[in-house]
Amino acid sequence: QVQLVESGGGLVQAGGSLRLSCAASGFNFSKYRMSWHRQSPGKERDLVAAISSPSFGSIENYADSVRGRFTISRDNVKNMVYLEMNGLKEEDTAMYYCRALDVNTASGYYWGQGTQVTVSS
């Protein structure tokens, strides 16, 4: 069965770093665009970072709010996606979700359950 399992969240001081991981299984990982999204209470779930499939160049895209601080990467052998977060700010506090998307169908997508990131001042 399809699984996306996030890990690595936690409590960190402002200015600190965290590395989130997403373990994927049950589908053809290398065919999917992978991304990270975040959501705070009462707010929309927004894209943080995305990386295209190897066939589309493994191109990275970032929200303006995290560009230069966060880095997304993928390991197509281990079926893993990572989000390296540096220079964390209080406004980065959110539940972070991993998503897999088949760009050929748009409706072929999966969500993980999320991992909480809390940044303290």
Side-chain angles (χ1 to χ4, degrees), residues 2 10 16-17 32 43 56 65 97 103-104 112 115 118:
V2 172
S17 299
Y32 280 70
K43 299 180 66 177
F56 283 81
S65 58
Y97 299 90
V103 297
N104 292 315
T115 185
T118 303

Side-chain angles (χ1 to χ4, degrees), residues 3-5 19 21-30 34 73-82:
Q3 283 191 312
L4 294 173
V5 181
R19 190 193 197 200
S21 299
C22 175
S25 61
F27 64 99
N28 194 345
F29 178 82
S30 64
M34 303 301 300
S73 61
R74 64 189 296 160
D75 186 328
N76 299 304
V77 175
K78 296 184 173 67
N79 290 358
M80 296 287 291
V81 184
Y82 305 98

